């Protein structure tokens, strides 16, 4: 798999973004990880093991489904890359398996991670159970209550859940706590980050394992659907599912790549999580990116109805793709995402994750501007986890 189209420079930057804003002892460890990663991905045994697990444990390649009913309604051909069909229900298992395998090859006995809605935690706990690694998951107290069924599953899989009670008691604080724990124990443990964020080389590692989505999708569109799409659309939290599918098309000049950020309730800082649109350059969790902040540079809370998208920053490569105009970034609010959640469920019999519903909603919006185009949407996950929440808060009328 030769798949990193744009590599970070030797200091870990994509253009102006990324890098390593961390203490020296951690820098030394991350340099070891970087070296091990580039060696291991060249190793045939590692690739064979990964390929075997991707196929037989995760169920890859995930299919591309032509959404006939929705296409008819919208006047465009809508194709869905079915990451919702993966084991554990989302794309996150792709990088978790990769990270856990890498940790194991490096001789680590434990993985440390954080989780918001519990999706990354669940995928990491699953990979850890499979590979016999200890798994510590840091999670905000508020999120623990909200995502009870994922918490139960993680415990069942043998993970330790560590409740975080600082600040807003949610994702940002969970990352802070997980990073602090990792700094104390990096000799034995591996920090399995949940997206293409964090200090170099973490964004590169996660990107590499998610690029499988794009490589498959490019091939599938050509072989099954008469050629490339005009548009590729994906939701963006930290940006891992988006970068994964974008990488399959980044060299195809005629394909327009669109990342969809959550506009939440409004344009006001604190009521959305659209870091590219409303963020300013800053440092978050050891890397430089567009961050939601006030005029004094204090990092602000992110909000979206989709918990998996509410992160105040975004992966450095997305900041770079945006600056170089290699991809476009648009926004979709809570209410449009919820409508799309209902629309896909009713027209196609597929209940999408609220995160992925943002990408579907943008495909619907785009259809008021263009017609007879091929639109490929990355359906990053399934909506089972969201059904209770939707029924309680936005019930069918
Ligand atoms: C976590 C999650 C996301 C957001 O993460 P990215 O790194 O931006 O992909 C999107 N969709 C689903 C289903 C998720 O679980």
């Amino acid at each position: 798999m030769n798949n990193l189209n744009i590599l970070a420079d030797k200091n870990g930057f994509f253009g102006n973004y990324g890098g390593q804003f961390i203490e020296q002892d951690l820098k030394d460890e991350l340099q070891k990880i970087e070296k091990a990663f580039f060696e291991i991905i060249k190793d045939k045994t590692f690739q064979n093991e990964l390929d075997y697990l991707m196929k037989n444990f995760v169920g890859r390649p995930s299919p591309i489904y032509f959404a006939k009913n929705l296409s008819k309604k919208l006047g465009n051909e809508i194709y869905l890359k079915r990451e919702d069909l993966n084991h554990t229900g989302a794309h996150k298992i792709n990088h978790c398996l990769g990270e856990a395998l890498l940790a194991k090859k490096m001789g680590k006995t434990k993985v440390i991670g954080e989780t918001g809605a519990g999706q990354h935690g669940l995928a990491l706990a699953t990979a850890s159970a499979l590979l016999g690694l200890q798994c510590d998951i840091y999670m905000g107290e508020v999120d623990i209550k909200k995502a009870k069924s994922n918490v139960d599953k993680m415990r069942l899989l043998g993970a330790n859940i560590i409740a975080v009670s600082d600040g807003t008691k949610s994702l940002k604080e969970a990352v802070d706590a997980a990073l602090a724990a990792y700094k104390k124990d990096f000799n034995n443990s591996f920090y399995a980050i949940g997206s293409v964020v964090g200090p170099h080389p973490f964004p590169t590692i996660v990107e590499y394992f998610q690029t499988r989505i794009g490589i498959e999708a490019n091939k599938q569109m050509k072989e099954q659907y008469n050629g490339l799409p005009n548009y590729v659309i994906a939701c963006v939290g930290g940006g891992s599912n988006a970068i994964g599918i974008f990488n399959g098309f980044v060299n195809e000049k005629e394909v327009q790549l669109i990342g969809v950020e959550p506009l939440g309730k409004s344009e006001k800082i604190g009521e959305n999580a659209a870091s590219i649109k409303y963020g300013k350059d800053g440092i978050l969790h050891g890397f430089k990116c567009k961050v939601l902040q006030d005029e004094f540079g204090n990092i602000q809370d992110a909000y979206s109805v989709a918990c998996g998208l509410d992160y105040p920053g975004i992966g450095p490569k997305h900041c770079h793709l945006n600056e170089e105009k290699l991809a476009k970034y648009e926004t979709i609010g809570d209410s449009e995402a919820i409508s799309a959640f209902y629309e896909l469920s009713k027209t196609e019999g597929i209940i999408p994750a609220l995160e992925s519903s943002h990408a579907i909603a943008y495909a619907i919006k785009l259809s008021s501007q263009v017609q007879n185009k091929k639109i490929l949407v990355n359906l990053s996950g399934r909506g089972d986890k969201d059904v209770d929440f939707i029924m309680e808060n936005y019930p069918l009328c």
Side-chain angles (χ1 to χ4, degrees):
M1 220 169 30
N2 164 31
N3 64 27
L4 296 170
N5 291 302
I6 301 170
L7 279 166
D9 67 21
K10 67 177 190 339
N11 298 317
F13 278 86
F14 298 96
N16 295 315
Y17 299 97
Q20 285 182 333
F21 295 84
I22 49 175
E23 300 96 88
Q24 190 58 48
D25 55 343
L26 200 54
K27 271 192 191 172
D28 296 342
E29 171 69 10
L30 296 198
Q31 198 166 16
K32 277 187 215 155
I33 294 179
E34 182 183 3
K35 191 162 170 282
F37 167 70
F38 282 108
E39 269 170 30
I40 282 166
I41 61 174
K42 280 192 230 119
D43 176 30
K44 262 239 138 39
T45 326
F46 175 82
Q47 288 297 348
N48 289 342
E49 194 174 350
L50 185 64
D51 284 347
Y52 174 84
L53 292 175
M54 286 292 178
K55 180 164 184 235
N56 301 296
F57 187 74
V58 177
R60 305 200 71 87
S62 64
I64 288 184
Y65 166 71
F66 172 55
K68 194 165 74 215
N69 303 329
L70 190 62
S71 298
K72 209 166 161 189
K73 268 177 105 164
L74 297 180
N76 284 305
E77 291 172 33
I78 309 291
Y79 297 89
L80 305 176
K81 179 64 170 159
R82 300 291 309 275
E83 293 299 300
D84 61 314
L85 294 177
N86 293 339
H87 181 41
T88 67
H91 68 290
K92 289 204 171 69
I93 191 72
N94 301 331
H95 66 244
C96 285
L97 260 184
E99 287 170 323
L101 266 179
L102 179 58
K104 192 145 184 187
K105 299 275 175 199
M106 288 185 72
K108 310 287 186 188
T109 53
K110 178 161 99 180
V111 292
I112 294 177
E114 73 289 327
T115 196
Q119 291 301 106
H120 174 64
L122 176 61
L124 191 59
T126 300
S128 303
L130 174 76
L131 298 171
L133 290 163
Q134 195 188 325
C135 178
D136 284 0
I137 302 287
Y138 290 78
M139 192 168 181
E141 271 178 358
V142 169
D143 293 340
I144 289 181
K145 286 203 193 99
K146 270 203 226 161
K148 184 174 181 306
S149 91
N150 275 342
V151 172
D152 290 343
K153 285 183 204 161
M154 286 186 271
R155 291 205 169 114
L156 181 67
L157 291 159
N160 304 315
I161 312 290
I162 297 123
V164 179
S165 55
D166 304 324
T168 58
K169 306 180 178 32
S170 86
L171 182 61
K172 185 190 157 289
E173 290 79 16
V175 180
D176 293 336
L179 273 171
Y182 175 61
K183 278 178 199 162
K184 285 192 200 136
D185 191 23
F186 58 69
N187 285 323
N188 303 311
S189 57
F190 187 93
Y191 188 46
I193 206 156
S195 188
V196 283
V197 297
H200 179 71
F202 292 128
T204 295
I205 293 173
V206 171
E207 173 178 345
Y208 175 79
F209 293 117
Q210 289 297 352
T211 294
R212 207 167 267 265
I213 303 175
I215 292 173
E216 287 174 10
N218 184 306
K219 190 157 169 265
Q220 288 165 319
M221 288 306 295
K222 285 177 179 158
E223 288 177 5
Q224 296 172 37
Y225 298 113
N226 284 320
L228 296 172
N230 301 97
Y231 299 90
V232 174
I233 301 176
C235 65
V236 181
S240 67
N241 86 90
I243 217 79
I245 197 159
F246 286 1
N247 272 351
F249 301 93
V250 97
N251 293 326
E252 312 277 11
K253 288 278 174 287
E254 69 274 31
V255 182
Q256 171 76 65
L257 307 174
I258 303 175
V260 183
E261 294 195 295
L263 186 58
K265 290 186 190 132
S266 84
E267 294 181 359
K268 255 189 22 215
I269 296 277
E271 298 201 337
N272 65 67
S275 319
I276 293 259
K277 188 143 188 203
Y278 301 113
K280 288 185 290 209
D281 289 3
I283 310 293
L284 174 68
H285 298 139
F287 71 109
K288 188 175 169 194
C289 67
K290 294 276 183 202
V291 195
L292 299 175
Q293 50 191 301
D294 66 13
E295 60 203 288
F296 308 108
N298 301 308
I299 292 168
Q300 300 295 295
D301 296 336
Y303 163 80
S304 164
V305 71
C307 310
L309 300 180
D310 65 5
Y311 185 66
I314 177 169
K317 184 140 167 200
H318 285 291
C319 300
H320 179 61
L321 293 180
N322 177 57
E323 207 161 78
E324 296 296 312
K325 300 198 164 35
L326 294 169
K328 252 170 71 174
Y329 294 83
E330 303 283 353
T331 58
I332 283 290
D334 283 0
S335 58
E336 296 164 294
I338 292 160
S339 302
F341 177 90
Y342 274 112
E343 180 70 8
L344 192 70
S345 303
K346 282 186 193 159
T347 54
E348 295 291 347
I350 298 171
I351 302 175
L354 274 175
E355 290 80 9
S356 326
S357 301
H358 285 72
I360 300 288
Y362 191 74
I364 295 172
K365 198 176 211 172
L366 183 63
S367 298
S368 64
Q369 299 158 28
V370 302
Q371 290 281 282
N372 303 312
K373 301 288 186 197
K374 292 167 93 163
I375 302 176
L376 173 62
V377 178
N378 199 19
L379 199 67
S380 54
R382 68 177 86 127
D384 304 33
K385 67 182 177 60
D386 300 313
V387 172
D388 288 350
F389 173 82
I390 287 287
M391 285 304 139
E392 216 168 281
N393 297 283
Y394 304 93
L396 292 157
C397 350

